Amino acid sequence: MTDATSLVEDQVSSKTAAALRAAMTRLVEGRPQRTDGRLTKENLYKEAQVSRATMNRAHAILAEWDAHIVAHGKASPGEAKRDAAIADLKKRLTKKTQECTLLENKLKAAHTAIAALYHDNEALRQQLNKNVSTTVTPIRPRGPRQQR
């Protein structure tokens, strides 16, 4: 600890500094006891069970807090995990949507082919029904068969 840090931390008691550091550790590790776990200064002082004014006098701890936020972002471990899960689900949804679009296009093509085959089949049936005569002409025998 440097002399400047000591002077800054002297503005709060060692008990308060310890409470703030413990609260910061719990929040950073995703183990809040008194808050929702978001990495905010409001949660820091509430987690430490000190007033905002008291927290604001702990300049060194706030500098560490700000440095951690800059380095790691405001997402708590739980939020980071949630965000990763959401990103994964979005990728999977995009992939499934593309698969569904492909299958829908194949289904439309199959529908078109089946409709064309149906119409061709109907046309062939109509043509067959036209060509069938309504009277049956018996085949007459040609006479006795001659043997060779």
Side-chain angles (χ1 to χ4, degrees):
M1 204 183 277
T2 66
D3 289 333
T5 305
S6 297
L7 292 175
V8 171
E9 285 188 2
D10 285 341
Q11 293 181 3
V12 294
S13 69
S14 59
K15 182 180 174 183
T16 300
L20 283 165
R21 286 190 193 285
M24 184 166 59
T25 300
R26 284 194 307 274
L27 288 172
V28 166
E29 291 176 354
R31 302 179 292 105
Q33 294 175 349
R34 298 172 182 89
T35 63
D36 61 7
R38 289 179 300 127
L39 299 181
T40 63
K41 288 181 181 175
E42 180 179 3
N43 280 350
L44 179 60
Y45 74 79
K46 286 180 180 179
E47 190 72 26
Q49 292 185 310
V50 299
S51 70
R52 183 169 189 98
T54 300
M55 177 195 68
N56 286 337
R57 287 193 306 270
H59 299 289
I61 294 172
L62 289 178
E64 289 176 31
W65 177 265
D66 291 338
H68 177 81
I69 297 301
V70 167
H72 299 96
K74 283 190 169 189
S76 68
E79 290 172 325
K81 191 179 211 180
R82 179 205 64 209
D83 292 346
I86 288 172
D88 178 56
L89 289 171
K90 282 182 178 180
K91 284 180 190 175
R92 290 173 51 198
L93 178 62
T94 299
K95 183 179 178 184
K96 292 298 181 187
T97 302
Q98 290 171 345
E99 288 176 13
C100 286
T101 301
L102 177 65
L103 290 173
E104 187 176 353
N105 290 338
K106 286 182 178 182
L107 183 61
K108 286 178 183 176
H111 179 267
T112 302
I114 290 169
L117 289 171
Y118 173 80
H119 291 294
D120 288 349
N121 192 22
E122 285 299 308
L124 288 171
R125 284 179 193 216
Q126 288 174 3
Q127 184 180 0
L128 182 62
N129 286 338
K130 263 188 197 176
N131 292 340
V132 173
S133 63
T134 56
T135 59
V136 177
T137 308
I139 301 176
R140 288 186 263 157
R142 294 186 189 177
R145 280 186 152 183
Q146 296 180 9
Q147 294 198 357
R148 291 185 195 185

